[in-house]
Amino acid sequence: MAELIRVRFGDVTIRSDPGRTVLEGPIADQAAVRALLNLVWDAGGDVRLLWITA
């Protein structure tokens, strides 16, 4: 899944800590955010926090 995320979304950092995985990087627009969330959900993951900065 990590490779698929990098291919589709570019320079995304993926860190795994005990009990969580953190994805960080630039996402182009709202449609890309939705696509990334769908990938996470389709893999059975939960989204606990989504932080968007301008």
Side-chain angles (χ1 to χ4, degrees):
M1 161 105 74
E3 187 58 32
L4 177 60
I5 289 171
R6 288 189 185 102
V7 166
R8 290 188 61 187
F9 300 99
D11 189 23
V12 175
T13 301
I14 302 172
R15 291 190 325 263
S16 292
D17 298 328
R20 70 180 185 163
T21 300
V22 177
L23 302 152
E24 183 176 357
I27 304 297
D29 54 25
Q30 203 169 12
V33 171
R34 179 62 188 222
L36 178 57
L37 290 172
N38 281 334
L39 280 176
V40 171
W41 292 325
D42 289 349
D46 293 324
V47 176
R48 303 287 173 109
L49 174 68
L50 175 63
W51 184 355
I52 299 174
T53 60

Short mmCIF file of all heavy atoms in Angstrom, two decimals:
data_model
loop_
_atom_site.label_atom_id
_atom_site.label_comp_id
_atom_site.label_asym_id
_atom_site.label_seq_id
_atom_site.Cartn_x
_atom_site.Cartn_y
_atom_site.Cartn_z
N MET A 1 0.82 -1.19 0.00
CA MET A 1 0.00 0.00 0.00
C MET A 1 0.86 1.25 0.00
O MET A 1 0.51 2.22 -0.65
CB MET A 1 -0.93 0.01 1.21
CG MET A 1 -1.47 1.35 1.53
SD MET A 1 -3.13 1.75 1.13
CE MET A 1 -4.06 0.89 2.29
N ALA A 2 1.97 1.26 0.74
CA ALA A 2 2.83 2.43 0.80
C ALA A 2 3.32 2.83 -0.59
O ALA A 2 3.32 4.01 -0.94
CB ALA A 2 4.01 2.19 1.74
N GLU A 3 3.72 1.86 -1.39
CA GLU A 3 4.21 2.16 -2.73
C GLU A 3 3.09 2.74 -3.60
O GLU A 3 3.30 3.68 -4.36
CB GLU A 3 4.81 0.92 -3.38
CG GLU A 3 5.49 1.20 -4.69
CD GLU A 3 6.61 2.22 -4.59
OE1 GLU A 3 7.29 2.29 -3.55
OE2 GLU A 3 6.82 2.96 -5.58
N LEU A 4 1.89 2.20 -3.49
CA LEU A 4 0.75 2.72 -4.24
C LEU A 4 0.47 4.17 -3.87
O LEU A 4 0.21 5.01 -4.73
CB LEU A 4 -0.49 1.85 -4.00
CG LEU A 4 -1.78 2.31 -4.67
CD1 LEU A 4 -1.61 2.37 -6.19
CD2 LEU A 4 -2.92 1.39 -4.30
N ILE A 5 0.54 4.48 -2.60
CA ILE A 5 0.32 5.85 -2.14
C ILE A 5 1.37 6.77 -2.74
O ILE A 5 1.06 7.84 -3.25
CB ILE A 5 0.31 5.93 -0.60
CG1 ILE A 5 -0.96 5.27 -0.06
CG2 ILE A 5 0.42 7.37 -0.12
CD1 ILE A 5 -0.98 5.08 1.43
N ARG A 6 2.63 6.35 -2.71
CA ARG A 6 3.70 7.19 -3.27
C ARG A 6 3.55 7.37 -4.78
O ARG A 6 3.80 8.45 -5.30
CB ARG A 6 5.05 6.59 -2.92
CG ARG A 6 5.40 6.77 -1.47
CD ARG A 6 6.83 6.36 -1.17
NE ARG A 6 7.08 6.43 0.24
CZ ARG A 6 7.11 5.38 1.06
NH1 ARG A 6 6.91 4.17 0.59
NH2 ARG A 6 7.35 5.53 2.33
N VAL A 7 3.15 6.32 -5.48
CA VAL A 7 2.96 6.42 -6.92
C VAL A 7 1.84 7.40 -7.26
O VAL A 7 1.96 8.23 -8.14
CB VAL A 7 2.68 5.03 -7.54
CG1 VAL A 7 2.16 5.14 -8.95
CG2 VAL A 7 3.93 4.17 -7.50
N ARG A 8 0.73 7.31 -6.52
CA ARG A 8 -0.43 8.14 -6.83
C ARG A 8 -0.35 9.55 -6.30
O ARG A 8 -0.90 10.48 -6.88
CB ARG A 8 -1.70 7.48 -6.31
CG ARG A 8 -2.05 6.23 -7.11
CD ARG A 8 -3.36 5.65 -6.76
NE ARG A 8 -4.47 6.57 -7.00
CZ ARG A 8 -5.71 6.33 -6.64
NH1 ARG A 8 -6.01 5.19 -6.04
NH2 ARG A 8 -6.66 7.20 -6.88
N PHE A 9 0.36 9.75 -5.16
CA PHE A 9 0.32 11.05 -4.49
C PHE A 9 1.67 11.73 -4.36
O PHE A 9 1.76 12.82 -3.83
CB PHE A 9 -0.35 10.91 -3.12
CG PHE A 9 -1.75 10.40 -3.22
CD1 PHE A 9 -2.02 9.06 -3.01
CD2 PHE A 9 -2.78 11.24 -3.57
CE1 PHE A 9 -3.31 8.57 -3.13
CE2 PHE A 9 -4.08 10.77 -3.69
CZ PHE A 9 -4.34 9.43 -3.48
N GLY A 10 2.73 11.08 -4.83
CA GLY A 10 4.03 11.73 -4.83
C GLY A 10 4.76 11.65 -3.50
O GLY A 10 4.80 10.61 -2.86
N ASP A 11 5.31 12.77 -3.09
CA ASP A 11 6.21 12.84 -1.94
C ASP A 11 5.44 12.78 -0.61
O ASP A 11 5.26 13.79 0.07
CB ASP A 11 7.03 14.12 -2.02
CG ASP A 11 8.13 14.18 -1.00
OD1 ASP A 11 8.55 13.12 -0.51
OD2 ASP A 11 8.57 15.30 -0.67
N VAL A 12 4.98 11.59 -0.27
CA VAL A 12 4.26 11.37 0.99
C VAL A 12 5.16 10.57 1.91
O VAL A 12 5.67 9.51 1.54
CB VAL A 12 2.93 10.62 0.75
CG1 VAL A 12 2.25 10.31 2.06
CG2 VAL A 12 2.01 11.44 -0.14
N THR A 13 5.39 11.09 3.11
CA THR A 13 6.17 10.39 4.12
C THR A 13 5.23 9.48 4.90
O THR A 13 4.15 9.90 5.32
CB THR A 13 6.84 11.39 5.08
OG1 THR A 13 7.68 12.26 4.31
CG2 THR A 13 7.66 10.68 6.13
N ILE A 14 5.65 8.24 5.09
CA ILE A 14 4.85 7.27 5.84
C ILE A 14 5.68 6.79 7.01
O ILE A 14 6.76 6.21 6.83
CB ILE A 14 4.43 6.10 4.93
CG1 ILE A 14 3.64 6.63 3.73
CG2 ILE A 14 3.63 5.06 5.72
CD1 ILE A 14 3.35 5.60 2.67
N ARG A 15 5.21 7.07 8.22
CA ARG A 15 5.89 6.64 9.45
C ARG A 15 4.99 5.67 10.20
O ARG A 15 3.81 5.95 10.38
CB ARG A 15 6.16 7.83 10.36
CG ARG A 15 7.18 8.79 9.87
CD ARG A 15 7.58 9.80 10.95
NE ARG A 15 6.51 10.22 11.84
CZ ARG A 15 5.79 11.33 11.70
NH1 ARG A 15 6.00 12.13 10.68
NH2 ARG A 15 4.87 11.65 12.58
N SER A 16 5.57 4.59 10.64
CA SER A 16 4.83 3.63 11.46
C SER A 16 5.37 3.66 12.88
O SER A 16 6.56 3.48 13.10
CB SER A 16 4.95 2.22 10.88
OG SER A 16 4.28 2.15 9.66
N ASP A 17 4.49 3.92 13.81
CA ASP A 17 4.79 3.87 15.23
C ASP A 17 3.90 2.79 15.83
O ASP A 17 2.92 2.38 15.20
CB ASP A 17 4.46 5.22 15.89
CG ASP A 17 5.29 6.37 15.33
OD1 ASP A 17 6.44 6.13 14.95
OD2 ASP A 17 4.77 7.50 15.28
N PRO A 18 4.20 2.32 17.03
CA PRO A 18 3.31 1.33 17.64
C PRO A 18 1.88 1.84 17.73
O PRO A 18 1.62 2.92 18.26
CB PRO A 18 3.91 1.14 19.05
CG PRO A 18 5.34 1.51 18.89
CD PRO A 18 5.37 2.62 17.86
N GLY A 19 0.97 1.12 17.10
CA GLY A 19 -0.44 1.46 17.18
C GLY A 19 -0.94 2.49 16.18
O GLY A 19 -2.11 2.82 16.18
N ARG A 20 -0.04 3.02 15.34
CA ARG A 20 -0.50 4.02 14.38
C ARG A 20 0.47 4.15 13.21
O ARG A 20 1.63 3.81 13.31
CB ARG A 20 -0.70 5.37 15.03
CG ARG A 20 0.59 6.04 15.41
CD ARG A 20 0.34 7.38 16.05
NE ARG A 20 1.62 8.05 16.31
CZ ARG A 20 1.73 9.32 16.55
NH1 ARG A 20 0.66 10.07 16.59
NH2 ARG A 20 2.91 9.85 16.78
N THR A 21 -0.06 4.66 12.12
CA THR A 21 0.73 5.01 10.95
C THR A 21 0.39 6.44 10.59
O THR A 21 -0.78 6.82 10.57
CB THR A 21 0.41 4.07 9.77
OG1 THR A 21 0.71 2.73 10.16
CG2 THR A 21 1.22 4.43 8.54
N VAL A 22 1.41 7.23 10.31
CA VAL A 22 1.23 8.64 10.00
C VAL A 22 1.64 8.86 8.55
O VAL A 22 2.72 8.46 8.12
CB VAL A 22 2.10 9.52 10.93
CG1 VAL A 22 1.97 10.99 10.55
CG2 VAL A 22 1.73 9.30 12.38
N LEU A 23 0.75 9.50 7.80
CA LEU A 23 1.01 9.89 6.42
C LEU A 23 1.15 11.41 6.41
O LEU A 23 0.28 12.11 6.94
CB LEU A 23 -0.14 9.49 5.50
CG LEU A 23 -0.46 8.01 5.49
CD1 LEU A 23 -1.91 7.78 5.16
CD2 LEU A 23 0.41 7.32 4.48
N GLU A 24 2.21 11.92 5.78
CA GLU A 24 2.41 13.37 5.76
C GLU A 24 2.97 13.78 4.40
O GLU A 24 3.89 13.16 3.89
CB GLU A 24 3.39 13.77 6.86
CG GLU A 24 3.62 15.24 6.97
CD GLU A 24 4.52 15.59 8.14
OE1 GLU A 24 4.93 14.71 8.89
OE2 GLU A 24 4.81 16.79 8.27
N GLY A 25 2.37 14.81 3.84
CA GLY A 25 2.86 15.32 2.58
C GLY A 25 1.83 16.16 1.87
O GLY A 25 0.68 16.26 2.31
N PRO A 26 2.23 16.77 0.77
CA PRO A 26 1.31 17.63 0.03
C PRO A 26 0.30 16.80 -0.76
O PRO A 26 0.65 15.84 -1.43
CB PRO A 26 2.24 18.41 -0.91
CG PRO A 26 3.42 17.51 -1.10
CD PRO A 26 3.57 16.76 0.19
N ILE A 27 -0.95 17.17 -0.66
CA ILE A 27 -2.02 16.55 -1.43
C ILE A 27 -2.65 17.67 -2.26
O ILE A 27 -2.98 18.73 -1.74
CB ILE A 27 -3.08 15.89 -0.51
CG1 ILE A 27 -2.42 14.87 0.44
CG2 ILE A 27 -4.17 15.24 -1.32
CD1 ILE A 27 -1.78 13.69 -0.24
N ALA A 28 -2.79 17.43 -3.55
CA ALA A 28 -3.10 18.48 -4.52
C ALA A 28 -4.41 19.21 -4.27
O ALA A 28 -4.47 20.43 -4.34
CB ALA A 28 -3.10 17.91 -5.93
N ASP A 29 -5.47 18.46 -3.96
CA ASP A 29 -6.78 19.09 -3.85
C ASP A 29 -7.73 18.18 -3.08
O ASP A 29 -7.35 17.11 -2.62
CB ASP A 29 -7.35 19.45 -5.22
CG ASP A 29 -7.40 18.26 -6.17
OD1 ASP A 29 -7.47 17.10 -5.70
OD2 ASP A 29 -7.37 18.47 -7.38
N GLN A 30 -8.97 18.63 -2.97
CA GLN A 30 -9.97 17.88 -2.20
C GLN A 30 -10.23 16.50 -2.79
O GLN A 30 -10.43 15.53 -2.05
CB GLN A 30 -11.25 18.70 -2.15
CG GLN A 30 -12.14 18.37 -0.98
CD GLN A 30 -13.25 19.39 -0.82
OE1 GLN A 30 -13.50 20.22 -1.69
NE2 GLN A 30 -13.92 19.33 0.32
N ALA A 31 -10.23 16.39 -4.09
CA ALA A 31 -10.44 15.09 -4.74
C ALA A 31 -9.31 14.13 -4.39
O ALA A 31 -9.54 12.93 -4.17
CB ALA A 31 -10.56 15.26 -6.25
N ALA A 32 -8.09 14.62 -4.32
CA ALA A 32 -6.95 13.78 -3.96
C ALA A 32 -7.04 13.33 -2.50
O ALA A 32 -6.69 12.20 -2.17
CB ALA A 32 -5.64 14.51 -4.23
N VAL A 33 -7.51 14.22 -1.63
CA VAL A 33 -7.71 13.84 -0.22
C VAL A 33 -8.70 12.69 -0.14
O VAL A 33 -8.48 11.69 0.54
CB VAL A 33 -8.19 15.04 0.62
CG1 VAL A 33 -8.62 14.59 2.02
CG2 VAL A 33 -7.11 16.09 0.71
N ARG A 34 -9.80 12.81 -0.86
CA ARG A 34 -10.83 11.76 -0.86
C ARG A 34 -10.27 10.45 -1.40
O ARG A 34 -10.53 9.38 -0.86
CB ARG A 34 -12.03 12.23 -1.69
CG ARG A 34 -13.15 11.24 -1.80
CD ARG A 34 -13.73 10.93 -0.44
NE ARG A 34 -14.66 9.85 -0.54
CZ ARG A 34 -15.81 9.81 0.07
NH1 ARG A 34 -16.18 10.78 0.86
NH2 ARG A 34 -16.61 8.78 -0.08
N ALA A 35 -9.48 10.52 -2.46
CA ALA A 35 -8.88 9.31 -3.03
C ALA A 35 -7.94 8.65 -2.03
O ALA A 35 -7.93 7.41 -1.89
CB ALA A 35 -8.14 9.65 -4.32
N LEU A 36 -7.15 9.44 -1.32
CA LEU A 36 -6.25 8.88 -0.31
C LEU A 36 -7.03 8.24 0.83
O LEU A 36 -6.71 7.13 1.27
CB LEU A 36 -5.32 9.97 0.22
CG LEU A 36 -4.34 9.55 1.31
CD1 LEU A 36 -3.45 8.40 0.85
CD2 LEU A 36 -3.51 10.73 1.77
N LEU A 37 -8.06 8.92 1.29
CA LEU A 37 -8.90 8.35 2.35
C LEU A 37 -9.53 7.03 1.90
O LEU A 37 -9.59 6.07 2.67
CB LEU A 37 -9.98 9.34 2.77
CG LEU A 37 -9.49 10.57 3.53
CD1 LEU A 37 -10.64 11.56 3.72
CD2 LEU A 37 -8.87 10.20 4.86
N ASN A 38 -9.99 6.98 0.66
CA ASN A 38 -10.57 5.74 0.14
C ASN A 38 -9.56 4.60 0.14
O ASN A 38 -9.91 3.46 0.47
CB ASN A 38 -11.13 5.95 -1.27
CG ASN A 38 -12.48 6.63 -1.25
OD1 ASN A 38 -13.22 6.54 -0.28
ND2 ASN A 38 -12.78 7.33 -2.32
N LEU A 39 -8.31 4.88 -0.22
CA LEU A 39 -7.28 3.84 -0.17
C LEU A 39 -7.09 3.31 1.25
O LEU A 39 -6.99 2.10 1.46
CB LEU A 39 -5.93 4.39 -0.67
CG LEU A 39 -5.73 4.50 -2.16
CD1 LEU A 39 -4.38 5.15 -2.46
CD2 LEU A 39 -5.79 3.13 -2.82
N VAL A 40 -7.04 4.22 2.20
CA VAL A 40 -6.88 3.82 3.61
C VAL A 40 -8.07 2.98 4.06
O VAL A 40 -7.92 1.91 4.65
CB VAL A 40 -6.69 5.06 4.51
CG1 VAL A 40 -6.74 4.67 5.98
CG2 VAL A 40 -5.39 5.75 4.18
N TRP A 41 -9.27 3.44 3.76
CA TRP A 41 -10.48 2.71 4.17
C TRP A 41 -10.57 1.35 3.49
O TRP A 41 -10.95 0.37 4.11
CB TRP A 41 -11.73 3.54 3.89
CG TRP A 41 -11.85 4.76 4.74
CD1 TRP A 41 -11.47 4.90 6.04
CD2 TRP A 41 -12.40 6.02 4.36
NE1 TRP A 41 -11.75 6.17 6.49
CE2 TRP A 41 -12.32 6.88 5.49
CE3 TRP A 41 -12.94 6.51 3.19
CZ2 TRP A 41 -12.75 8.19 5.47
CZ3 TRP A 41 -13.38 7.83 3.16
CH2 TRP A 41 -13.29 8.65 4.30
N ASP A 42 -10.24 1.29 2.19
CA ASP A 42 -10.30 0.03 1.45
C ASP A 42 -9.32 -1.00 2.01
O ASP A 42 -9.55 -2.20 1.90
CB ASP A 42 -10.03 0.24 -0.04
CG ASP A 42 -11.17 0.95 -0.75
OD1 ASP A 42 -12.26 1.10 -0.14
OD2 ASP A 42 -10.97 1.38 -1.91
N ALA A 43 -8.23 -0.51 2.62
CA ALA A 43 -7.25 -1.41 3.23
C ALA A 43 -7.65 -1.80 4.65
O ALA A 43 -6.91 -2.51 5.33
CB ALA A 43 -5.87 -0.75 3.22
N GLY A 44 -8.80 -1.30 5.12
CA GLY A 44 -9.27 -1.64 6.46
C GLY A 44 -8.75 -0.72 7.54
O GLY A 44 -8.89 -1.01 8.73
N GLY A 45 -8.15 0.40 7.15
CA GLY A 45 -7.61 1.34 8.13
C GLY A 45 -8.66 2.30 8.64
O GLY A 45 -9.72 2.47 8.06
N ASP A 46 -8.35 2.92 9.76
CA ASP A 46 -9.18 3.96 10.36
C ASP A 46 -8.45 5.29 10.22
O ASP A 46 -7.23 5.34 10.30
CB ASP A 46 -9.41 3.71 11.85
CG ASP A 46 -10.24 2.48 12.11
OD1 ASP A 46 -11.17 2.21 11.32
OD2 ASP A 46 -9.98 1.79 13.11
N VAL A 47 -9.20 6.35 10.06
CA VAL A 47 -8.63 7.68 10.05
C VAL A 47 -9.03 8.33 11.37
O VAL A 47 -10.20 8.52 11.65
CB VAL A 47 -9.13 8.51 8.85
CG1 VAL A 47 -8.61 9.93 8.93
CG2 VAL A 47 -8.72 7.83 7.55
N ARG A 48 -8.03 8.66 12.17
CA ARG A 48 -8.29 9.26 13.49
C ARG A 48 -8.16 10.77 13.47
O ARG A 48 -8.77 11.47 14.27
CB ARG A 48 -7.31 8.70 14.52
CG ARG A 48 -7.34 7.20 14.66
CD ARG A 48 -8.61 6.78 15.38
NE ARG A 48 -8.73 5.34 15.38
CZ ARG A 48 -8.59 4.57 16.44
NH1 ARG A 48 -8.31 5.11 17.59
NH2 ARG A 48 -8.74 3.28 16.34
N LEU A 49 -7.34 11.28 12.54
CA LEU A 49 -7.12 12.72 12.47
C LEU A 49 -6.73 13.08 11.05
O LEU A 49 -5.91 12.40 10.43
CB LEU A 49 -6.00 13.14 13.42
CG LEU A 49 -5.54 14.60 13.36
CD1 LEU A 49 -6.63 15.52 13.88
CD2 LEU A 49 -4.27 14.78 14.16
N LEU A 50 -7.34 14.11 10.52
CA LEU A 50 -6.98 14.66 9.22
C LEU A 50 -6.68 16.13 9.45
O LEU A 50 -7.54 16.89 9.90
CB LEU A 50 -8.13 14.50 8.21
CG LEU A 50 -7.93 15.14 6.85
CD1 LEU A 50 -6.75 14.48 6.13
CD2 LEU A 50 -9.18 15.00 6.02
N TRP A 51 -5.45 16.53 9.17
CA TRP A 51 -5.02 17.90 9.43
C TRP A 51 -4.63 18.52 8.11
O TRP A 51 -3.71 18.06 7.45
CB TRP A 51 -3.86 17.87 10.38
CG TRP A 51 -3.34 19.20 10.83
CD1 TRP A 51 -3.72 20.44 10.43
CD2 TRP A 51 -2.32 19.40 11.80
NE1 TRP A 51 -3.02 21.40 11.07
CE2 TRP A 51 -2.13 20.78 11.92
CE3 TRP A 51 -1.56 18.56 12.55
CZ2 TRP A 51 -1.21 21.33 12.78
CZ3 TRP A 51 -0.63 19.12 13.41
CH2 TRP A 51 -0.47 20.49 13.53
N ILE A 52 -5.32 19.57 7.73
CA ILE A 52 -5.05 20.25 6.47
C ILE A 52 -4.60 21.66 6.76
O ILE A 52 -5.25 22.39 7.50
CB ILE A 52 -6.31 20.27 5.58
CG1 ILE A 52 -6.74 18.84 5.26
CG2 ILE A 52 -6.06 21.08 4.31
CD1 ILE A 52 -8.04 18.74 4.52
N THR A 53 -3.46 22.04 6.18
CA THR A 53 -2.97 23.41 6.32
C THR A 53 -2.91 24.06 4.95
O THR A 53 -2.74 23.39 3.94
CB THR A 53 -1.56 23.44 6.97
OG1 THR A 53 -0.66 22.71 6.15
CG2 THR A 53 -1.60 22.83 8.35
N ALA A 54 -3.06 25.33 4.93
CA ALA A 54 -3.02 26.07 3.66
C ALA A 54 -1.66 26.61 3.39
O ALA A 54 -0.84 26.79 4.20
CB ALA A 54 -4.04 27.19 3.68
#
